[in-house]
Amino acid sequence: MEIIAQVITSFIASAAFGLMFNAPKSSLIKGGFVGMSGWMIYYCMEASGIDPVVSTVTASFFIAVISQGFAKMYRTPVIIFSVAGIIPLVPGGIAYDAMRNFVQNDYNSAINLAARAFMISGSIAVGLVFSEVINQIIRHSTLTRQQKQ
């Protein structure tokens, strides 16, 4: 039952973020699907005991791949899908806890949580960039092959 709640919540969060930031109405469902897919990858990996940073890199990589596919398929900018898709992965709760611990003068816990939030945020960026680099390499090699023919 928990997995169903995770699927629904991640879909709604991603679609609602797209709605808040004026994404085209036709892309809201697709953006929700991207976020839901990424969250399910993250959730399943973390439930299997894999480190949250590795899970986040993997999930954000697949979010970027799906976003690039949707962007080509629907002729829309990739950022519409990728930004809405990463929303469930953003470590907002951890960052909030870090700030709360700073305010309460619990600096050891605060620094630990802040470092964790920083690592997870960085892994989101690494996953997105890694996917884009691979996409550019594939595009370049395809273009080079076409030019040689």
Side-chain angles (χ1 to χ4, degrees), residues 17-99:
F17 187 82
L19 183 66
M20 279 179 19
F21 286 93
N22 296 324
K25 290 192 190 321
S26 62
S27 68
L28 295 178
I29 300 292
K30 299 164 192 108
F33 175 77
V34 171
M36 177 189 70
S37 301
W39 180 254
M40 292 316 303
I41 291 168
Y42 171 81
Y43 182 77
C44 291
M45 288 181 73
E46 195 176 60
S48 300
I50 297 173
D51 184 65
V53 172
V54 175
S55 301
T56 304
V57 167
T58 306
S60 65
F61 175 80
F62 281 104
I63 286 170
V65 168
I66 295 168
S67 296
Q68 290 165 0
F70 278 0
K72 282 182 184 178
M73 192 181 311
Y74 298 109
R75 298 179 194 263
T76 353
V78 70
I79 197 163
I80 289 173
F81 303 114
S82 62
V83 171
I86 64 166
I87 290 303
L89 298 178
V90 173
I94 298 170
Y96 171 80
D97 289 339
M99 287 300 114

